[in-house]
């Protein structure tokens, strides 16, 4: 019998992708508060520096955290993509940053 339950029980999965060409190791720079947000994991198959964060935190908290992490590395504030998934369901992502507005 195969257990198909998700390893992660958090409400959201955030996909964090830096768009710059700098290879950074964000996980090494996490503060204890940032580590406590949830389960961070590096995505090694991605071309750009990319991480997943499994958490129950809301999008504003995650955006605030990512912005501060990027600021510590001196990267431009807009230099990332942030995508939110509902738990383990990766079928309907929400792009949270950058925000694109149409008239």
């Amino acid at each position: 019998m195969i257990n198909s339950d998700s390893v992660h029980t958090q409400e959201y999965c955030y996909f964090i992708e830096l768009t710059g060409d700098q290879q950074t190791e964000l996980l090494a720079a996490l503060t204890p508060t940032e580590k406590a947000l949830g389960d961070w994991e590096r995505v090694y198959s991605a071309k750009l520096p990319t991480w997943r964060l499994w958490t129950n935190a809301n999008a504003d908290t995650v955006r605030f955290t990512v912005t501060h992490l990027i600021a510590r590395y001196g990267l431009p504030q807009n230099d990332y993509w942030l995508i939110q998934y509902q738990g383990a369901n990766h079928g309907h992502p929400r792009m949270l940053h950058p925000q694109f507005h149409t008239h």
Side-chain angles (χ1 to χ4, degrees), residues 74-90:
L75 300 173
Q77 294 288 13
N78 293 334
D79 215 14
Y80 69 98
W81 296 93
L82 181 62
I83 301 170
Q84 179 194 66
Y85 296 95
Q86 287 285 347
N89 175 9
H90 287 195

Side-chain angles (χ1 to χ4, degrees), residues 18-24 47-49 75-76 79:
L18 301 185
T19 56
D21 57 4
Q22 294 185 34
Q23 289 292 327
T24 58
K47 289 184 176 140
L48 297 169
L75 300 173
D79 215 14

